[in-house]
Amino acid sequence: MEQPSRPSRRPLGSLVLIAAVLGGSAAAFAYTGGWLSPERLSRERVVASLGPPGGPAPGHRRNHTKGICFTGSFEANGAGAALSRAPMLAAGSYPVIGRFNLASSVLAQPDGAARVRGLSLSITGPDGSEWRTGMLSAPVFPVSGVDAFYALQMAVRSKEPGAMQAFAAAHPEIAGFGGWAGSAPWTGSYAEESYNALNAFIFTDAEGRGHAVRWSVRPEAVPVPVPKEQIAAKPPDFLGDEIKARLAARPVRWRMTVTEAGPGDPVADPSKAWPEGRRTLEVGTLTVQAIQEEADGPCRDINYDPTVLPPGMRPSADPFPAARSSAYALSYERRAAEAAAYPRTAPGGRP
Amino acid sequence: MTAARFSPVQRLLHWLMAACILAMLFIGVGMVSTISPRYLALVSIHKPLGIAILLLALLRLGLRLRRGAPPLPAGLPAAMKLAAHLSHVALYGLMIAMPLLGWAMLSAEGYPIVLWQGLRLPPILPQDIGAYALLRQAHGLLGYAFFAVILAHLGAALFHALVRRDGVFAAMAPVAGRAEE
Ligand code: HEM
Ligand code: HEM
């Protein structure tokens, strides 16, 4: 069996070759991992850019940090089946774990100071597949690309005079969001807001046809405008307290709509609304039944990654869902590592 | 033919898996560094390919236990034999542990493990963010350890092939080399 060894008489060349192969492989690995190009926009830099001045709150989400959990259901009316074969769009009732939140990375953010409010949903279908979505009360996103999102964070936190003006000059798309933020009425309740997915996704129907869509939920409650000064003067947790009190009386509902893009509509740019009059289907009703404090609630340890989608839905050319998936994974990894800093308050709370 | 070689199936599995595992390591470090649309493309290869590696590794371990390996040359120093043995145990351990850790950590996150349109793996752990934190860290650290062991393995294989020329490389070479003619 033994092979006679014929050792190389002049091994130096071979050793140099071996060193070059190993060194080259290590360098290629380091390059792929981004360690040789710190100027690349990594998810670490994007997530770090969200950080409030005192640093992120350990154990908490790196953005939309303050929030409150809820449980409820989504009653699909079946109309959505025309656009997607997702199991939770077939007529039926499906369980929901959700989260009301503020679009801010400050844990102690007073409820009255957040211009944008968020609603996160995880809807589970009968086959166990999930549809996760994080939606905003704004009708458009401030920026059209991920680089611009990062630049916006830098400008907002910049101490340099004129940083925001310079940003707006370079990213005129922010005017759409700015117009809404400056003129839309504030409301005194999570239940009186519409929430919009903003990002576009592709729905696939039973025939295999794709449809570029965005979805929203519209409140059953009639929004009552409240002057900004009055909102600012409310107690710091008034939105959480209000929704608890409202739910004690009766469930709170929204109607979910799905809007299909027309030819040429900006699918890849969440800063641009699609024209009025696009085909819009009402696909069901979201009902919130109970509220739980986040520390012990079921939404706490969920990663509302918008690319967690059931069969019949997938990301589109919109670059944000991929960027969010990457950033939320890092945020989740960080807060998981720090979970001891955010203990549960109730013994035996759901993990 | 003078030297004993691994069986053709074993050699095929070796080189197929070498390519897959190297790809996985590069995909892994590449995807966690990016926030571009490539992230989703890479993750959607990472998960099914990782599970494929798990299945291939189990098949390969079975073959290795049944068919064994050609003996190392008698003249090989004991320290090198020990290093060879330990590194092979590490390689088998990692190619089974890494996919299991990936699967387990997503289970502990409560994150659906979709391999392909509509093909979803069941969770192998209940949702538990503390367990997730440990498993996620292990998946990352062992990933780097895996790459280091593979580099050592590659260096040793080339050393056998180019410097010692003792038939060890030929035993796993995809095609019979000159040493055996
Ligand atoms: C590249 C752009 C974005 C970045 C880097 C980013 C970053 C983040 C991060 C790090 C979190 C915390 C995730 C966690 O720990 O679970 C978060 C939460 C959230 N984001 Fe984004 N985000 C982006 C764009 C968007 C967009 C376009 C929307 C809405 C259309 C959105 C809506 C939300 C909502 C609703 C939450 C709360 C999720 C929850 O309740 O857990 N984000 N974001
Ligand atoms: C041979 C098998 C595998 C290898 C060599 C491997 C390797 C890697 C590496 C090197 C990383 C980057 C770690 C870091 O820098 O922190 C990674 C991340 C990851 N892997 Fe794997 N992996 C394997 C199998 C799997 C499997 C089977 C799954 C899931 C089913 C999986 C899911 C993940 C996830 C979710 C991440 C992190 C993504 C993120 O943080 O955005 N891996 N893997």
Side-chain angles (χ1 to χ4, degrees):
Chain A
M1 302 293 281
E2 190 70 7
Q3 169 92 19
S5 287
R6 299 177 295 113
S8 165
R9 270 165 283 127
R10 304 188 56 197
L12 188 62
S14 300
L15 290 176
V16 169
L17 178 67
I18 295 174
V21 169
L22 298 188
S25 309
F29 195 63
Y31 173 78
T32 309
W35 300 299
L36 304 181
S37 32
E39 74 290 347
R40 232 197 258 172
L41 186 58
S42 65
R43 64 187 196 177
E44 272 80 7
R45 279 174 67 201
V46 173
V47 169
S49 78
L50 299 165
H60 291 266
R61 289 166 167 82
R62 289 322 195 232
N63 203 7
H64 295 249
T65 311
K66 182 178 179 185
I68 188 163
C69 300
F70 66 79
T71 45
S73 62
F74 175 65
E75 281 85 35
N77 58 19
L83 293 171
S84 167
R85 57 192 175 85
M88 55 290 279
L89 288 177
S93 176
Y94 310 103
V96 172
I97 298 175
R99 183 172 178 267
F100 296 112
N101 53 75
L102 304 180
S104 155
S105 61
V106 179
L107 180 59
Q109 178 83 341
D111 288 350
R115 185 64 185 100
V116 179
R117 298 168 183 168
L119 176 77
S120 317
L121 300 177
S122 156
I123 307 176
T124 303
D127 61 343
S129 66
E130 267 183 76
W131 179 12
R132 295 187 187 176
T133 176
M135 297 180 275
L136 300 180
S137 56
V140 287
F141 202 61
V143 289
S144 33
V146 178
D147 289 356
F149 181 84
Y150 176 75
L152 174 62
Q153 305 310 313
M154 300 314 277
V156 167
R157 286 162 181 76
S158 170
K159 303 234 161 15
E160 300 218 352
M164 265 318 285
Q165 285 85 333
F167 176 86
H171 301 277
E173 75 262 27
I174 199 168
F177 174 85
W180 170 83
S183 66
W186 293 63
T187 74
S189 174
Y190 278 129
E192 295 175 12
E193 299 287 341
S194 290
Y195 300 93
N196 309 293
L198 304 184
N199 293 133
F201 294 82
I202 306 293
F203 276 12
T204 312
D205 63 29
E207 273 79 55
R209 277 185 308 255
H211 308 265
V213 301
R214 290 172 176 167
W215 56 82
S216 299
V217 295
R218 301 183 181 165
E220 186 187 69
V222 179
V224 180
V226 182
K228 190 180 168 195
E229 303 67 41
Q230 270 181 44
I231 292 279
K234 291 193 186 258
D237 299 327
F238 82 93
L239 283 177
D241 295 339
E242 194 277 344
I243 195 78
K244 282 182 230 168
R246 190 184 283 250
L247 267 177
R250 80 195 82 81
V252 175
R253 295 198 167 84
W254 285 261
R255 267 183 281 282
M256 184 184 279
T257 56
V258 176
T259 301
E260 186 172 5
D265 284 354
V267 169
D269 183 352
S271 73
K272 308 253 176 331
W274 293 342
E276 289 295 322
R278 289 290 179 250
R279 181 189 183 196
T280 297
L281 299 183
E282 191 178 309
V283 298
T285 305
L286 170 70
T287 305
V288 173
Q289 273 131 1
I291 294 280
Q292 304 87 16
E293 293 299 340
E294 187 192 65
D296 300 313
C299 74
R300 168 195 162 122
D301 296 340
I302 293 181
N303 172 358
Y304 287 96
D305 176 337
T307 67
V308 172
L309 297 167
M313 299 186 189
R314 62 186 162 86
S316 68
D318 186 331
F320 279 96
R324 294 170 67 189
S325 184
S326 182
Y328 296 16
L330 181 63
S331 173
Y332 193 87
E333 184 184 336
R334 298 259 167 92
R335 62 189 172 98
E338 305 154 349
Y342 183 25
R344 285 165 212 292
T345 57
R350 190 182 182 283
Chain B
M1 279 291 273
T2 52
R5 305 181 67 200
F6 283 95
S7 70
V9 194
Q10 282 175 303
R11 277 179 283 139
L12 176 71
L13 275 175
H14 173 276
W15 291 104
L16 177 67
M17 292 187 68
C20 291
I21 291 171
L22 266 184
M24 279 299 281
L25 289 165
F26 277 87
I27 290 171
V29 295
M31 72 191 186
V32 301
S33 77
T34 184
I35 192 148
S36 74
R38 276 193 302 273
Y39 176 77
L40 283 187
L42 292 172
V43 172
S44 63
I45 301 172
H46 192 83
K47 293 175 191 174
L49 187 54
I51 296 298
I53 289 173
L54 175 62
L55 297 177
L56 290 175
L58 293 174
L59 177 67
R60 185 167 167 200
L61 183 63
L63 282 174
R64 176 70 170 73
L65 294 177
R66 269 196 29 213
R67 303 208 181 155
L72 289 168
L76 198 66
M80 281 176 86
K81 280 190 173 159
L82 181 69
H85 184 67
L86 290 181
S87 67
H88 297 161
V89 171
L91 287 168
Y92 273 103
L94 286 166
M95 62 195 155
I96 293 170
M98 283 298 290
L100 284 177
L101 281 170
W103 187 353
M105 82 193 191
L106 290 176
S107 305
E109 185 183 343
Y111 192 98
I113 306 155
V114 179
L115 294 188
W116 216 253
Q117 270 292 305
L119 174 60
R120 208 158 17 86
L121 288 184
I124 50 175
L125 284 181
Q127 192 187 17
D128 178 344
I129 196 166
Y132 164 84
L134 293 174
L135 295 164
R136 175 66 184 83
Q137 207 180 10
H139 193 76
L141 292 177
L142 288 182
Y144 298 109
F146 205 173
F147 188 67
V149 179
I150 287 174
L151 282 191
H153 180 75
L154 175 63
L158 291 174
F159 188 72
H160 284 291
L162 302 176
V163 179
R164 284 186 58 92
R165 301 188 184 162
D166 55 5
V168 169
F169 183 81
M172 191 54 103
V175 289
R178 259 183 301 132
E180 289 166 87
E181 278 157 14

